[in-house]
């Protein structure tokens, strides 16, 4: 597999296909690229797990992931700073210091996407 190039994330401006990671959670082309090339399917699983707990009363969730000293913090909020959940990851080799992902409820599935795919 080719090395992860974070500058390629900007090329995803929509999706041509959805990729199922669970019964109610889908990845877009961009988040699938991220999961595969940055080797972070663990992040998508964590997001899916929290989305199931958060529920669907709020159709939009923003996930901010920050990495410092090989530790990550994932914050799930409504996009206006109202926090739904927070998770600390004791170790990660995720290659970025920070990334924000969006999740939208489409009536049947949570779609996890890059902000440029929104």
């Amino acid at each position: 597999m080719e090395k992860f190039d974070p500058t390629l994330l900007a090329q995803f401006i929509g999706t041509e296909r959805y990729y199922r990671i669970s019964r109610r959670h889908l990845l877009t082309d961009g988040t699938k690229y991220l999961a595969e090339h940055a080797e972070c399917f663990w992040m998508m699983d964590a997001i899916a797990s929290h989305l199931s707990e958060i529920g669907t009363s709020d159709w939009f969730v923003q996930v901010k992931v920050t990495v410092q000293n090989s530790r990550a913090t994932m914050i799930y909020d409504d996009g206006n700073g109202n926090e739904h959940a927070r998770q600390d990851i004791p170790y990660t080799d995720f290659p970025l210091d920070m990334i924000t992902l969006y999740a939208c409820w489409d009536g049947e599935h949570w779609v996890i996407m890059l902000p440029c795919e929104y």
Side-chain angles (χ1 to χ4, degrees), residues 15-111:
T15 197
E16 293 182 10
R17 186 166 174 216
Y18 295 98
Y19 305 88
R20 184 176 303 279
I21 58 168
S22 76
R23 188 173 63 83
R24 294 201 115 171
H25 301 89
L26 305 173
L27 299 180
T28 57
D29 293 330
T31 49
K32 181 176 183 280
Y33 171 85
L34 177 68
E36 288 180 342
H37 295 298
E39 299 179 358
C40 65
F41 275 101
W42 62 267
M43 183 184 298
M44 304 308 158
D45 288 342
I47 292 170
S49 175
H50 280 284
L51 290 172
S52 294
E53 290 179 18
I54 291 169
T56 60
S57 62
D58 192 357
W59 64 272
F60 177 87
V61 174
Q62 177 176 255
V63 183
K64 295 178 189 173
V65 181
T66 55
V67 178
Q68 188 173 30
N69 299 322
S70 299
R71 298 175 63 84
T73 301
M74 301 177 72
I75 299 173
Y76 304 78
D77 68 39
D78 66 358
N80 293 316
N82 299 309
E83 194 172 306
H84 293 299
R86 176 183 295 253
Q87 181 178 7
D88 291 318
I89 308 295
Y91 175 78
T92 183
D93 59 359
F94 185 66
L96 301 175
D97 292 336
M98 188 178 113
I99 192 163
T100 298
L101 301 176
Y102 294 163
C104 293
W105 178 249
D106 72 1
E108 264 186 75
H109 307 96
W110 278 105
V111 179

